[in-house]
Amino acid sequence: MNPELVEKITKLVFEKLQAKTDVLRAETAPEVDVKFWDHRTESKPHHEAEHDYKNKQSFTETILQGEQLPIAEDAQVIEEARQVIGIETPFDQEELENLISKTPARIGIGRAGLRPKTHSWIKFRYDHAAAVDAVYGDVNPELLESLALFKVNTKVADKEVYVRRPDYGRKLSDEGKQLIIDKCKKEPTVQIIVSDGLSSKAVEGNLEDVYLSLNQSLQSLGLDVGTPFFIEKGRVAAMDEVGELLKPKVIILLIGERPGLVSAESLSAYLCYEPRIGTIEADRMVVSNIHKGGIPPVEAGAYIGTVIQKILKYQASGVSLVQKEQ
C-alpha cells in the first residue's frame, strides 16, 4: 500500500466526515456528528461483499470426490459456489435474489436430498479451514517492522493455551511490561495498540490501511499520540494493564475478531477512556467488522478519529459516553 495514496484517501474521507461540523470546529471543544455504520442500507451486494479467496495461501487442499484440487481450480469452484442460487425453482426468484444481496449468510443454497449441494459443501469446508488458519496463524513480522511496531508478549505460552485460557491473554508478561515502560511515551493523549487476537489474517489484511488512515486522522485533529506496539496473543482487556503503565487518556486496540464462516479477516477497534485494571466492559466501545466486505479499512481509520474526538470531549466512553450525550 502506497502511504501517499492512503494519506490522500484519508483526507478525502476525513473532510467528508467533518463537512457538516464546520461551524462547531471553531469552538474550543468541537463536537463531531458521529455516523454509525448501517449494514442494512450500506452493505455491498452479496457477490461483492465476500472476500476474494483466490489469494489465500493456506488450507487450499479442498477435497472433492476424494481428490485434491489444484489451487486455481479450487478458487474457481469457490467462486462458482458463491454466486449460484441452489434452489432450482424458487417461489419468488426476485425476492430471493433481493434477500441474498442484503446478507452474506448462507441462504438459498438448496439441497440434494437431505444433504448440501456439492458447491455449498466445498465453500463451507473452505471457509471453515480459513477460520482455523486465522486463529492458529501468526502475523508476518515484516508487516510489524514496516509499521515500526515492536512486539510484547502476554502470559500465553502457545496458541492452545491462548484458546483455552482467555485470562492469560489479558495479562502481559513481566518482560512485556518492562519493554513497554522502557520504549513507550508516558501519558500520551492517545495510545494505539495492535494485537492478533483471534485472527492473524485480520491484522495482515487490514492493519496497514487502518493504521495509516487512523494516524492521519489523529494528526489532523492535533492529538498527541504515544508509541504504538504489538501484543502477541492478546485479549481486549490487555489494554487495562497498558493503561496502568502508560496512563494515556484514550487507548485504541486494533485486534483480530473471532473468525466466522463469512469472514476470517475481520478487524475490530476497541476504545476506552483512561482504562485501568478493573475496567468493566460497559466502559469500552467498539468499531467492528472492519474488512473489505464490511467497513472499508481506510474509512474506518478516519471514522475512529472522530469517535476519539467525542470521547475526549465528554471524558467518557461506552455507556458513560451515551449517558453524557443525552
Side-chain angles (χ1 to χ4, degrees), residues 243-276:
E244 292 282 358
L245 295 172
L246 301 180
K247 294 180 171 51
K249 289 294 182 182
V250 181
I251 285 187
I252 313 164
L253 174 61
L254 302 172
I255 188 169
E257 293 180 3
R258 178 179 286 103
L261 295 176
V262 171
S263 173
E265 300 181 356
S266 187
L267 191 75
S268 284
Y270 283 84
L271 302 97
C272 190
Y273 181 75
E274 294 187 346
R276 299 292 187 268

Side-chain angles (χ1 to χ4, degrees), residues 1-11 13-14 143-149 192 194 203 206-220 225 228 252 254 267 290 297-305:
M1 173 62 66
N2 188 334
E4 294 181 0
L5 178 60
V6 171
E7 181 176 345
K8 185 181 295 185
I9 295 173
T10 302
K11 285 182 178 179
V13 173
F14 188 72
L143 172 63
L144 303 180
E145 184 178 348
S146 68
L147 298 176
L149 299 174
I192 302 174
V194 180
V203 174
N206 304 293
L207 177 60
E208 186 173 23
D209 288 351
V210 175
Y211 182 77
L212 294 175
S213 173
L214 174 59
N215 271 283
Q216 180 63 30
S217 178
L218 297 176
Q219 187 178 31
S220 299
V225 181
I252 313 164
L254 302 172
L267 191 75
I290 302 171
V298 172
E299 183 174 335
Y303 170 69
I304 293 168

Side-chain angles (χ1 to χ4, degrees), residues 110-180:
R111 286 186 172 272
L114 299 176
R115 310 171 76 177
K117 292 190 174 183
T118 302
H119 285 299
S120 300
W121 178 243
I122 290 174
K123 185 174 184 301
F124 174 84
R125 290 287 303 274
Y126 191 93
D127 290 342
H128 181 266
V132 173
D133 191 28
V135 173
Y136 285 90
D138 294 317
V139 176
N140 189 339
E142 294 181 1
L143 172 63
L144 303 180
E145 184 178 348
S146 68
L147 298 176
L149 299 174
F150 68 90
K151 182 171 68 175
V152 300
N153 298 313
T154 59
K155 292 186 177 295
V156 176
D158 55 52
K159 282 289 184 177
E160 289 296 335
V161 174
Y162 178 75
V163 172
R164 296 174 182 173
R165 293 295 303 269
D167 55 316
Y168 282 14
R170 301 181 188 122
K171 299 175 182 178
L172 299 171
S173 66
D174 294 337
E175 295 81 2
K177 291 179 182 179
Q178 190 59 50
L179 200 58
I180 291 172

